[in-house]
Amino acid sequence: ETGVTQTPRHLVMGMTNKKSLKCEQHLGHNAMYWYKQSAKKPLELMFVYSLEERVENNSVPSRFSPECPNSSHLFLHLHTLQPEDSALYLCASSQETGGTEQFFGPGTRLTVL
Amino acid sequence: GEDVEQSLFLSVREGDSSVINCTYTDSSSTYLYWYKQEPGAGLQLLTYIFSNMDMKQDQRLTVLLNKKDKHLSLRIADTQTGDSAIYFCAESGNTPLVFGKGTRLSVIA
C-alpha cells in the first residue's frame, strides 16, 4: 500500500461521455501529479499541482481538465475523449515539487471506444 | 531541458545478474531513483542514491553512479521471474522528477 489510491481502476467510456478520475493521497504531501502512460509514450507528465495550485501543464488538450480541491485530492475530468486517449493514467504525490521522491497510485486503465 | 535515456529491453536467464543502464543530462541532480512497474500496476520506488555517493547496495540490488559521466546503473543479482517488470530511472534537480522511458526486463526460466 503506497498511500496513494485511485478510482476507478478501470474505465470504459464512449467519445461523448463525461467521466472523472479520482486520486487521494494519505501521506500529507504538498504536491500531486497526473501522468499518462501508453505504448507510444511510456510516461508523460500531464499536470503538476503544488499546494492546490497548478504549476505545470505540459500542453495537454483541453478535453482533460484537472481539479485539486485540497492537497489530498486530485481529479481529472474527461470529456469528448478520442480513442488515442486510451491509456493508463497514473497519479503521484510528493512532499514538494522540487525533485523529491514521488509515490504512485495503481493507476486507472482508461479505454475510449 | 533535462533528459533521461534508457535502453528499452533487456532479457536475462533466471539466476543470472541483470544490469539496467541509464544516462541523464542534468548536472544539478541531487537524487537518482529506480522505480519498478509490474504489469497493471503503478510505479514503486525500488531504491535511490544521493548524488554524492558512488554505490549503494540493498540486498540483491546494487546501484552504481558515475557522476562525471552522468551514468546510473541498477544491478539485480540472482534475477528471478518475479523481477520481470519495467524499470524506470528518474533524476531530480529543482524540478519534478524526470523519468526515462523505462527498460522492460524479461526473465527467462
Side-chain angles (χ1 to χ4, degrees):
Chain A
E1 183 58 48
T2 65
V4 181
T5 57
Q6 290 187 242
T7 54
R9 293 294 309 277
H10 300 272
L11 178 63
V12 179
M13 59 188 288
M15 288 191 285
T16 57
N17 292 159
K18 288 185 182 181
K19 296 285 185 184
S20 295
L21 310 185
K22 180 182 175 183
C23 175
E24 186 172 358
Q25 57 98 358
H26 313 274
L27 301 167
H29 288 166
N30 293 323
M32 296 187 79
Y33 310 79
W34 279 117
Y35 288 88
K36 176 184 177 184
Q37 188 179 31
S38 63
K40 286 187 179 179
K41 291 190 180 182
L43 205 61
E44 279 182 87
L45 179 63
M46 299 175 73
F47 300 103
V48 180
Y49 276 82
S50 176
L51 296 171
E52 303 136 53
E53 293 210 7
R54 192 190 306 178
V55 298
E56 193 161 330
N57 171 1
N58 286 345
S59 304
V60 179
S62 59
R63 55 187 185 268
F64 296 92
S65 173
E67 179 191 1
C68 188
N70 55 62
S71 59
S72 299
H73 293 86
L74 185 65
F75 295 90
L76 188 62
H77 303 301
L78 316 170
H79 68 97
T80 59
L81 294 193
Q82 304 298 310
E84 60 264 28
D85 297 321
S86 298
L88 181 69
Y89 288 84
L90 292 163
C91 173
S93 72
S94 64
Q95 188 58 50
E96 309 292 344
T97 55
T100 54
E101 174 192 345
Q102 291 180 17
F103 293 79
F104 283 80
T108 296
R109 173 67 63 185
L110 173 68
T111 303
V112 182
L113 301 175
Chain B
E2 299 89 352
D3 194 22
V4 177
E5 297 284 341
Q6 301 177 239
S7 53
L8 293 182
F9 301 98
L10 176 66
S11 290
V12 297
R13 292 197 179 278
E14 191 174 17
D16 288 351
S17 292
S18 309
V19 179
I20 302 171
N21 294 301
C22 170
T23 58
Y24 60 97
T25 58
D26 185 2
S27 56
S28 68
S29 294
T30 49
Y31 284 96
L32 294 118
Y33 301 88
W34 284 105
Y35 281 84
K36 177 183 180 182
Q37 185 181 32
E38 295 184 356
L43 279 69
Q44 283 187 299
L45 181 67
L46 262 188
T47 186
Y48 65 92
I49 187 168
F50 189 49
S51 60
N52 69 353
M53 297 170 65
D54 298 325
M55 185 182 88
K56 180 179 179 181
Q57 186 146 8
D58 183 1
Q59 300 182 329
R60 291 191 297 122
L61 305 178
T62 303
V63 179
L64 294 177
L65 175 60
N66 181 328
K67 195 173 179 183
K68 174 175 166 289
D69 295 339
K70 300 192 187 68
H71 182 266
L72 182 74
S73 68
L74 173 69
R75 180 176 180 269
I76 306 172
D78 186 27
T79 312
Q80 303 298 307
T81 54
D83 296 323
S84 293
I86 302 175
Y87 291 81
F88 290 89
C89 168
E91 63 89 15
S92 75
N94 295 318
T95 57
L97 295 188
V98 179
F99 286 85
K101 289 183 169 56
T103 299
R104 183 179 295 276
L105 175 63
S106 299
V107 181
I108 305 162

